[in-house]
Amino acid sequence: MSASSSIRPMVVEPSRVWEGNDGPWSTFSIRVGNPAQDVNVLVSTTVPETWVVMQDGCNSGDPSYCARSRGGLFNINASSTWIDENVYELGAELNLGYDDNWDNGDYGFDTLGSNDVALNHQVIGAIATKDFYLGNLGLTPRPINFTTMDDPRPSFLSSLKSNSIIPSLSYGYTAGANYRLDKGLASLTLGGYDASRFIPNSMSFDFAADISRDLVVGLQAIDFNAANTTSQALLPGGGILTFVDSTVPHIWLPLDSCRAFEEVFGITWDSTTALYLLNNTQHDVLTAQNASVSFILGNYVSGGETVNLTLPYSSFDRLASYPIFNESTRYFPLKRAANDTQYTLGRTFLQETFLIVDYEKSNFSISQSLFLENSQPNIIAIPPINATIGNSTSPTITKTTPSPDPDAKSHSLDTGAMAGIIITAVLLMVLTASAAIIFAIRRRRRRRQEDATEDIEPIKEVEVFQKAEMDGSSKDQDILEMYQEVEEKDSREVITFVAELEGSNGSVGPANKRVFELDGGPIRAHELPDSNYEFKELPTPPSEVHAQDGRWSFAGTPTSGFNGML
């Protein structure tokens, strides 16, 4: 049994407060800085860093309850351990229309923790934008780079693993449901999951090749069910590939699917806010009908093993408030996708489902959430990929390799013979390559002599950009290397690399600070499982906050007082 088997998962306790301007949502309490400042945040299954709302997130034009409604404000200048980096664009949800001209963060390093755990020098983005009204605790283990690729900074999850605080790069999460028994608080376990919060199934999903959009599922069908009515299909165009992302609240679907929702739910599209609105009369009808929606998921857009996950109408009954509306307004968290890059199952979907993600084994599962009165937590550890633990109940798939031939030793060559063969082979390869080069040079010279009268376009010099190498000094080298390797999976070659945060000349943010683009982590080039599935480049609609009269940016410049030492 490995040492990692004795390491227990870390349970992040919910704040027991329901917050947000598009929920309400169950948040988690974290501590940032020194002395520690308590703030409440949501969870992002997409970004690696943590976002907290800074003091500039509320200004004189906001309601008096602004700070409280945003989960509390982080005062950078009040932390003696804050090390300022610069202002960067968040680089998140750009495909959904979120605007990098306004969605910036004052990035730096500071102490970050929850419960009785605190880690120094963690990447923090202090935000003021109201597009993301609450902060987020980033859950992906991708390293973070600032302008250069040779100095990757570990994520919070990978720091926990490298410090032996959690057993593996994994988590279990459900968003919680305020309409359920005892308010159904959210659940987050790092390095494991709470088995008391879901109904297990045998379905396992493989990561998509694009690590920035790894949690992709095949949404094969959506069905509407209600008392005294027949089931109706809500995905008339057939199955689609869709991304599971807790960073945003909405479910983004094709237009024909949205039209089907409009018909059965009686919802109305508001072009000003780009939201579906629901009046109280229709709300009462749907509640009385006990209406529900079933999502059928698989690894492909059709065929294969599937899992059926049901959301009651109550999960779609959300309230939008300032700055979207001045007064709380009932809305339906469905969005019209402009193209297939926008298909997303957001936080609304995760109210009734439980997500378990294992980054070391590159797979995940989604199960129906369970809400039981007086249920006791049952925390299960997910072992690391290099561990063998007896009686493990991890829901991930473990790949096995064939046993070695017991007679292999008698048929093997001795060390000297093997070395001789290797040296000979290398010399032959060098000689062969040299001969080929000489032959090519001579042939080209002869060709030039023969074609001396012809006009030949000179060869253009091409600038080659080489991938930067990590220095290997970080304790998080295991996860950093994992995201740079070339791996073969499902007969599809996947090439990964750590992305650079490119600079720009943007002027949004505190004075005297340049705004840089935050790429968001490693990117993978990949092929979609369905060869007939292709992306179309169409305009993306603006987000709901941008549809308002005002735009939101940093209200002022933080006073000096940053530590300033790296």
Side-chain angles (χ1 to χ4, degrees):
M1 182 178 294
S2 66
S4 61
S5 63
S6 61
I7 302 174
R8 299 297 302 158
M10 174 181 167
V11 177
V12 182
E13 295 294 339
S15 66
R16 311 190 76 82
V17 178
W18 295 85
E19 300 168 286
N21 67 335
D22 51 17
W25 309 107
S26 179
T27 58
F28 295 91
S29 180
I30 61 173
R31 299 191 309 276
V32 185
N34 185 19
Q37 301 176 44
D38 294 324
V39 293
N40 295 339
V41 295
L42 296 169
V43 160
S44 173
T45 56
T46 303
V47 302
E49 75 273 15
T50 294
W51 302 342
V52 293
V53 181
M54 65 190 304
Q55 285 192 310
D56 287 342
C58 293
N59 53 53
S60 59
D62 293 321
S64 59
Y65 57 81
C66 176
R68 184 176 68 256
S69 69
R70 301 200 68 178
L73 305 180
F74 174 58
N75 185 352
I76 291 176
N77 297 315
S79 175
S80 63
T81 50
W82 172 265
I83 300 175
D84 191 60
E85 178 65 25
N86 217 316
V87 175
Y88 295 91
E89 297 167 348
L90 299 181
E93 314 298 348
L94 300 183
N95 63 306
L96 298 182
Y98 288 78
D99 191 352
D100 252 1
N101 291 325
W102 302 97
D103 296 339
N104 310 318
D106 189 355
Y107 277 81
F109 304 92
D110 213 333
T111 303
L112 172 64
S114 180
N115 305 343
D116 57 350
V117 174
L119 296 177
N120 298 325
H121 208 71
Q122 296 301 298
V123 178
I124 305 293
I127 66 172
T129 175
K130 290 183 172 66
D131 281 356
F132 300 98
Y133 199 68
L134 294 169
N136 275 292
L137 177 64
L139 294 184
T140 71
R142 297 194 306 271
I144 303 134
N145 286 277
F146 293 108
T147 70
T148 60
M149 294 175 62
D150 58 356
D151 190 22
R153 305 305 175 95
S155 68
F156 184 57
L157 190 70
S158 59
S159 294
L160 291 172
K161 167 72 184 301
S162 64
N163 283 279
S164 299
I165 297 173
I166 59 175
S168 63
L169 295 169
S170 61
Y171 65 82
Y173 166 70
T174 183
N178 68 317
Y179 50 86
R180 286 290 192 174
L181 190 67
D182 295 331
K183 290 289 186 180
L185 295 172
S187 172
L188 176 61
T189 304
L190 306 180
Y193 57 92
D194 186 350
S196 71
R197 294 298 303 268
F198 64 94
I199 303 171
N201 61 68
S202 60
M203 187 73 202
S204 178
F205 299 90
D206 296 325
F207 276 14
D210 182 352
I211 194 60
S212 66
R213 291 177 62 84
D214 44 12
L215 307 181
V216 173
V217 298
L219 178 55
Q220 298 190 3
I222 306 176
D223 294 326
F224 171 82
N225 296 282
N228 303 320
T229 64
T230 58
S231 177
Q232 299 185 50
L234 299 181
L235 194 61
I240 61 174
L241 294 176
T242 182
F243 182 46
V244 180
D245 182 6
S246 71
T247 317
V248 295
H250 313 100
I251 294 175
W252 293 70
L253 295 174
L255 181 58
D256 58 353
S257 180
C258 292
R259 298 290 192 198
F261 271 86
E262 293 174 16
E263 183 178 349
V264 299
F265 282 100
I267 52 181
T268 303
W269 178 254
D270 178 48
S271 58
T272 302
T273 58
L275 291 175
Y276 276 106
L277 304 183
L278 194 68
N279 60 45
N280 291 332
T281 301
Q282 189 64 17
H283 164 72
D284 294 338
V285 170
L286 293 168
T287 302
Q289 286 182 335
N290 193 28
S292 65
V293 177
S294 296
F295 292 77
I296 292 84
L297 307 182
N299 269 306
Y300 311 98
V301 295
S302 63
E305 184 181 1
T306 61
V307 59
N308 189 320
L309 303 168
T310 301
L311 276 65
Y313 158 69
S314 299
S315 63
F316 296 97
D317 180 24
R318 304 288 84 195
L319 293 175
S321 56
Y322 179 85
I324 304 173
F325 296 105
N326 289 328
E327 302 291 337
S328 292
T329 302
R330 182 169 276 119
Y331 85 104
F332 196 96
L334 176 69
K335 283 280 193 175
R336 296 175 173 179
N339 54 65
D340 47 16
T341 68
Q342 294 188 332
Y343 299 158
T344 305
L345 297 177
R347 198 180 310 122
T348 291
F349 177 75
L350 291 167
Q351 293 175 110
E352 292 287 330
T353 60
F354 195 97
L355 176 66
I356 299 176
V357 181
D358 189 338
Y359 286 99
E360 299 189 28
K361 301 181 182 70
S362 297
N363 60 24
F364 63 101
S365 66
I366 307 178
S367 304
Q368 190 76 52
S369 288
L370 196 58
F371 301 92
L372 297 177
E373 188 175 7
N374 300 321
S375 65
Q376 296 300 312
N378 180 17
I379 305 301
I380 305 296
I382 297 177
I385 194 170
N386 59 352
T388 302
I389 299 179
N391 299 322
S392 171
T393 55
S394 172
T396 56
I397 298 174
T398 302
K399 297 181 179 179
T400 59
T401 55
S403 299
D405 180 4
D407 298 325
K409 184 176 181 180
S410 63
H411 298 293
S412 62
L413 296 172
D414 59 59
T415 305
M418 182 63 70
I421 292 174
I422 293 174
I423 293 173
T424 302
V426 172
L427 289 174
L428 286 173
M429 292 173 62
V430 172
L431 290 173
T432 302
S434 301
I437 293 172
I438 292 172
F439 174 77
I441 293 174
R442 289 179 177 175
R443 183 176 181 182
R444 180 160 48 169
R445 286 176 179 172
R446 286 198 300 269
R447 177 66 181 275
R448 286 177 178 175
Q449 292 173 358
E450 295 170 357
D451 302 332
T453 59
E454 298 180 5
D455 292 331
I456 301 176
E457 183 180 354
I459 299 175
K460 296 180 180 179
E461 182 178 355
V462 179
E463 185 178 5
V464 179
F465 295 89
Q466 297 183 348
K467 183 182 74 173
E469 295 182 357
M470 301 179 187
D471 57 14
S473 61
S474 172
K475 291 189 293 182
D476 305 276
Q477 193 64 25
D478 54 343
I479 179 58
L480 299 183
E481 291 176 355
M482 182 177 73
Y483 281 102
Q484 290 180 300
E485 66 183 0
V486 177
E487 64 182 27
E488 185 80 17
K489 185 173 184 180
D490 295 336
S491 300
R492 298 190 298 272
E493 186 180 60
V494 179
I495 302 176
T496 68
F497 61 94
V498 180
E500 179 181 0
L501 311 181
E502 299 179 354
S504 71
N505 295 322
S507 60
V508 179
N512 303 321
K513 287 190 176 184
R514 296 178 65 194
V515 179
F516 300 91
E517 179 182 354
L518 181 60
D519 187 87
I523 303 171
R524 288 190 179 184
H526 68 98
E527 297 180 2
L528 293 171
D530 185 352
S531 60
N532 296 322
Y533 191 86
E534 61 180 8
F535 290 103
K536 303 175 183 177
E537 295 187 3
L538 297 175
T540 56
S543 65
E544 65 274 14
V545 174
H546 290 157
Q548 303 303 300
D549 293 333
R551 283 179 175 257
W552 302 96
S553 179
F554 291 96
T557 304
T559 58
S560 60
F562 301 143
N563 192 312
M565 299 295 292
L566 285 175

